Amino acid sequence: MNIIEESFQEKQKKDNTKTIKIVILSIIVIIVLAIIGISIAMVYIDKSKLRVYVDGKINDEVKDLLVIQDDGTINVPIKEIAPYLGYKSYNGDYLDKSEDRSKCYVESDNEVANFTLNSNKIYKLNTKSKSNTGDNYEYCYTEEPVKAMNGVLYTTQEGLEKAFNSVFNYDKNTNRIQIYTMPYLISIYQKSVLDYGYSKIDDDFNNQKAILDGMVIVRKDSSSSYGVINCDTGEILIEPKYDDIDYLQDTGNFLVTSNKKVGILSSTGELKVQLLYDSLELMDSDSGLYLAKRDGNYGVIDINGNIKIFIEYDQIGIDITKFTNNNIRNKYILVDNLIPVKKDGLWGFFDKTGKQLIDFKYDSFGYIASGSRDAMNLLVVPDYNILVAEVNKKYALVNSSGEEVVPAILDDAYMTVSSGVTYYYMTYNDQRYNIEQYLDDRGGAISGNSNSSSNNTSNESQNSANGENAENIENTESTDNQEDTQNSET
């Protein structure tokens, strides 16, 4: 082999080695780029994957419970999510205990929230109200009603926020859901409150709800001066100079007390009602009415301080704790319109506009069962908006317009429950009649012989009216007679 051939072979070997190195290097580069690409893709996929956080921590169990609709609406199973937010859950209604799966309620240490299928109204009851009005419900609305999916009741994220006193944020760009409970938010903002120069966040449960709307009720110092500030900025919304402040979540307003007088301020500090009253209490958020007390007398005002019922009466509203099976939500406004008012030992009715419908003539409202063990106390016949009123140990049926469908001639008016079905009965002359059938036979809402102008009605005409209504009842076949007839036919 000559020198030229050896040189050529050496050069060829070097070229082959160089080519192999280039190929290997290229493969390595390709592999590295592939790894980088895969890593970027995995990061992108991971970032686009839905993440659910509860109080700052990832919670895949809660994520698996959520149902996201095509329009972005998120449905939440009410009972199933409750334990993750610090609540217990049950079938039925809080007051009317049952296993009715078309209803459910959730319960914390301080509050109960009731849900009903196809309803967008959530009733809430503070079980530890400092104002001793725990028998009166608050309520709120959601845009979408409660729905059932596979036998499970669902609400939307809006319902979750309102019922569970939580904040629900869904960022579609990052595909992240953040759920914050009220206790967690309080723990987070407590340090900020101290930094702003206040001693603490007020520890009353109702007042703490203000944090859900971006506000906190704070104490200035040990002198117990209360004010309201913005959670995030510390901006003063209501100066810390009041003896007490109560937050009204339904309206977003505040009851403020100074020198033992109470008024109403808005969240911006606007004076809505002057500090003139011994106490104020929200009666109904829809109508914007407040129970006002001054010098031992009671009346009703609206949110602008206008007097709807003069502050000169002994009592407004009744004790509804005796009618738990009747599931009464509001002790101040009965059958959606009637405000019971007491004067000199007798009761009359006003409507929500402040118009007096019935003079002071009733001894009490509702029937208290004492005879039959099957009979239950009765205040209202709900589907007909009929109220039971008592005069001289006789009972009348009154509709929401203040008219007596049946005057005070009944011996009893009570309810029973059989196989989960509620029945309403009245007795007259030892005969029992089904109230709902009686009302249906007469069009459901008989005008009756109204006693709203009873001051101008003579005893003779009243007796005539009573006789006419008694005849109407007697012309209705009694429940007992119907049962006898059915048994005979059988």
Side-chain angles (χ1 to χ4, degrees):
M1 182 179 295
N2 57 38
I3 297 175
I4 295 175
E5 289 177 339
E6 290 179 355
S7 176
F8 177 79
Q9 289 179 354
E10 186 68 24
K11 181 180 179 183
Q12 190 176 26
K13 183 185 290 186
K14 289 181 179 180
D15 288 344
N16 290 340
T17 302
K18 183 177 181 180
T19 301
I20 292 171
K21 289 181 179 180
I22 292 173
V23 170
I24 293 173
L25 183 62
S26 300
I27 293 172
I28 292 173
V29 170
I30 292 171
I31 292 173
V32 170
L33 290 175
I35 292 173
I36 293 173
I38 292 172
S39 299
I40 293 173
M42 289 178 66
V43 169
Y44 175 79
I45 292 172
D46 185 67
K47 283 188 175 181
S48 62
K49 186 178 180 181
L50 177 64
R51 286 280 186 266
V52 175
Y53 298 81
V54 178
D55 289 341
K57 298 179 180 179
I58 291 178
N59 194 313
D60 289 332
E61 293 176 339
V62 170
K63 182 189 73 172
D64 292 340
L65 293 175
L66 307 182
V67 178
I68 303 178
Q69 306 291 350
D70 293 338
D71 62 358
T73 301
I74 300 176
N75 294 115
V76 182
I78 300 166
K79 291 182 61 181
E80 286 71 15
I81 203 168
Y84 297 99
L85 303 179
Y87 284 73
K88 298 177 181 178
S89 62
Y90 306 90
N91 290 331
D93 188 274
Y94 177 66
L95 289 181
D96 186 16
K97 297 292 191 293
S98 72
E99 290 303 311
D100 185 353
R101 294 184 178 275
S102 69
K103 299 178 181 179
C104 71
Y105 66 94
V106 296
E107 183 177 16
S108 69
D109 292 337
N110 298 281
E111 191 176 64
V112 170
N114 292 269
F115 297 85
T116 301
L117 179 63
N118 298 325
S119 173
N120 67 338
K121 193 172 187 178
I122 301 172
Y123 283 97
K124 303 179 73 176
L125 179 66
N126 185 340
T127 55
K128 296 182 180 178
S129 173
K130 71 177 183 180
S131 61
N132 296 319
T133 57
D135 52 353
N136 216 51
Y137 277 78
E138 300 174 355
Y139 54 84
C140 55
Y141 296 96
T142 57
E143 289 189 12
E144 297 293 329
V146 172
K147 64 170 61 176
M149 291 187 282
N150 298 319
V152 176
L153 295 183
Y154 283 75
T155 186
T156 60
Q157 63 264 43
E158 181 188 13
L160 180 144
E161 287 187 310
K162 293 183 176 180
F164 292 93
N165 297 311
S166 302
V167 173
F168 189 107
N169 292 326
Y170 178 30
D171 189 333
K172 294 181 180 179
N173 294 325
T174 61
N175 210 16
R176 296 292 184 265
I177 291 176
Q178 299 279 358
I179 302 174
Y180 301 107
T181 63
M182 193 167 75
Y184 177 80
L185 292 174
I186 292 170
S187 68
I188 293 298
Y189 283 108
Q190 181 63 49
K191 184 179 183 301
S192 298
V193 166
L194 295 176
D195 292 341
Y196 295 142
Y198 302 96
S199 61
K200 61 180 293 188
I201 296 175
D202 187 40
D203 54 11
D204 177 72
F205 175 73
N206 265 350
N207 284 348
Q208 289 179 343
K209 292 181 184 179
I211 206 167
L212 303 172
D213 297 316
M215 303 174 288
V216 284
I217 297 175
V218 293
R219 291 178 59 175
K220 183 177 181 181
D221 49 39
S222 58
S223 64
S224 297
S225 295
Y226 291 86
V228 181
I229 64 172
N230 181 285
C231 286
D232 297 309
T233 65
E235 175 192 0
I236 296 175
L237 305 176
I238 296 177
E239 292 187 357
K241 61 182 181 181
Y242 295 95
D243 301 330
D244 197 10
I245 293 181
D246 293 310
Y247 183 55
L248 302 176
Q249 187 183 30
D250 289 352
T251 65
N253 295 316
F254 294 88
L255 299 181
V256 295
T257 303
S258 180
N259 297 322
K260 298 183 179 180
K261 293 297 180 182
V262 182
I264 300 177
L265 293 178
S266 72
S267 59
T268 61
E270 177 190 359
L271 182 63
K272 308 286 286 187
V273 176
Q274 294 186 5
L275 282 72
L276 300 173
Y277 303 96
D278 300 330
S279 68
L280 289 171
E281 182 185 343
L282 182 64
M283 295 169 57
D284 178 69
S285 56
D286 283 347
S287 54
L289 297 179
Y290 292 80
L291 176 69
K293 181 182 180 182
R294 187 167 59 197
D295 299 329
N297 295 318
Y298 294 88
V300 176
I301 65 172
D302 65 18
I303 186 55
N304 297 312
N306 300 313
I307 294 178
K308 310 301 288 186
I309 298 177
F310 287 111
I311 307 173
E312 59 186 24
Y313 297 103
D314 302 331
Q315 184 177 336
I316 293 178
I318 68 171
D319 179 9
I320 60 176
T321 59
K322 300 175 182 178
F323 306 99
T324 54
N325 291 315
N326 222 183
N327 207 12
I328 308 301
R329 307 288 191 181
N330 192 320
K331 66 181 180 181
Y332 297 117
I333 302 177
L334 304 175
V335 293
D336 295 335
N337 186 52
L338 302 181
I339 300 176
V341 178
K342 190 176 186 180
K343 180 179 181 181
D344 298 330
L346 295 175
W347 292 89
F349 283 124
F350 289 72
D351 66 14
K352 290 189 289 188
T353 68
K355 176 183 177 182
Q356 186 168 2
L357 300 178
I358 295 183
D359 198 11
F360 301 95
K361 56 177 284 187
Y362 296 113
D363 297 322
S364 65
F365 298 114
Y367 172 79
I368 306 300
S370 58
S372 170
R373 65 180 182 179
D374 296 327
M376 298 179 181
N377 297 351
L378 178 63
L379 180 61
V380 302
V381 182
D383 291 342
Y384 296 81
N385 273 355
I386 293 294
L387 175 73
V388 177
E390 187 259 329
V391 179
N392 295 327
K393 298 183 179 180
K394 294 290 183 179
Y395 297 91
L397 302 182
V398 184
N399 67 19
S400 60
S401 298
E403 301 169 323
E404 288 189 349
V405 174
V406 177
I409 59 174
L410 301 176
D411 301 313
D412 303 291
Y414 59 93
M415 60 187 287
T416 66
V417 177
S418 177
S419 300
V421 180
T422 303
Y423 300 93
Y424 302 91
Y425 296 110
M426 57 186 177
T427 60
Y428 173 73
N429 281 348
D430 295 327
Q431 294 292 321
R432 185 174 71 165
Y433 303 87
N434 185 300
I435 294 176
E436 292 179 310
Q437 180 189 332
Y438 177 84
L439 297 173
D440 288 339
D441 290 346
R442 284 154 184 78
I446 312 166
S447 61
N449 294 279
S450 174
N451 290 300
S452 58
S453 57
S454 58
N455 286 338
N456 299 321
T457 303
S458 67
N459 289 333
E460 182 179 352
S461 62
Q462 183 62 53
N463 291 335
S464 174
N466 289 350
E468 180 180 344
N469 280 275
E471 183 178 354
N472 286 337
I473 294 175
E474 290 174 339
N475 287 336
T476 301
E477 189 175 14
S478 74
T479 302
D480 293 333
N481 289 339
Q482 290 177 32
E483 292 174 352
D484 291 341
T485 301
Q486 290 174 355
N487 292 334
S488 175
E489 291 176 351
T490 302

